[in-house]
Amino acid sequence: THGQNYSAKVVRVPEIPGEYAYEVRVRQAGRNPWDISVTAPLTAGVRVGDAVLVAFWARASVPAEDTGTGSAQVRVQQIGAPYTGIAESPVTVNPGWQLHYVKGIASGDHEANAINIAFNIAAKKQTLQFGQFYVMNLGQGVRLEDLPSGAEDL
């Protein structure tokens, strides 16, 4: 996790797959969503035209006061500038556990360990919990409209 004005810990959550979550408390909202970012490098690359699907468990254990929900900008992206996005979406994180989907088509070639998944969460003062996440390269010829989107309740 990168940024300032946050604390993070692993918590036991028996009701989700894997039974553990990574909890991040945003103590003060930042100017940009990426001012606090939970990231992980990806060990496989993508080629131009590859369809990428992200699935992840999340909940707002302490939602933002103004909305009653949490907020995250989720991206599969190039690790360095210009941080080219491959799959990205703003995500509303509800207080109950949900499985969220984010998808995209790679516009360029990116080698393994040159891209990451980023959960940019500094937009609101909030506490979010992230369970298991999956980043899948589905290859060429996949239509985004054929993939799941949005969120499903636990």
Side-chain angles (χ1 to χ4, degrees):
T1 305
H2 308 282
Q4 298 179 5
N5 296 313
Y6 77 89
S7 59
K9 63 183 176 181
V10 174
V11 295
R12 184 161 162 64
V13 185
E15 65 266 28
I16 62 169
E19 297 187 359
Y20 287 91
Y22 186 65
E23 179 179 279
V24 184
R25 178 177 165 237
V26 178
R27 292 191 298 262
Q28 179 180 343
R31 177 177 288 180
N32 305 296
W34 56 85
D35 288 346
I36 299 172
S37 186
V38 179
T39 63
L42 302 181
T43 58
V46 296
R47 298 287 168 242
V48 65
D50 285 352
V52 175
L53 177 65
V54 176
F56 66 95
W57 292 97
R59 76 173 170 186
S61 58
V62 181
E65 288 183 10
D66 61 337
T67 61
T69 61
S71 174
Q73 176 194 58
V74 180
R75 302 186 85 221
V76 174
Q77 65 183 15
Q78 183 180 349
I79 287 178
Y83 301 96
T84 302
I86 299 162
E88 61 184 295
S89 181
V91 173
T92 299
V93 182
N94 289 318
W97 282 105
Q98 291 183 305
L99 180 61
H100 296 268
Y101 299 99
V102 175
K103 56 192 174 181
I105 301 288
S107 61
D109 294 344
H110 300 279
E111 297 300 319
N113 297 308
I115 55 177
N116 68 6
I117 182 153
F119 300 92
N120 300 319
I121 60 170
K124 304 273 186 183
K125 181 180 175 182
Q126 60 189 345
T127 302
L128 302 182
Q129 293 179 339
F130 297 97
Q132 290 183 346
F133 66 90
Y134 315 89
V135 180
M136 297 159 273
N137 183 343
L138 303 176
Q140 305 281 311
V142 176
R143 298 174 348 139
L144 290 182
E145 54 269 15
D146 293 336
L147 300 177
S149 60
E152 299 176 16
D153 292 334
L154 176 66

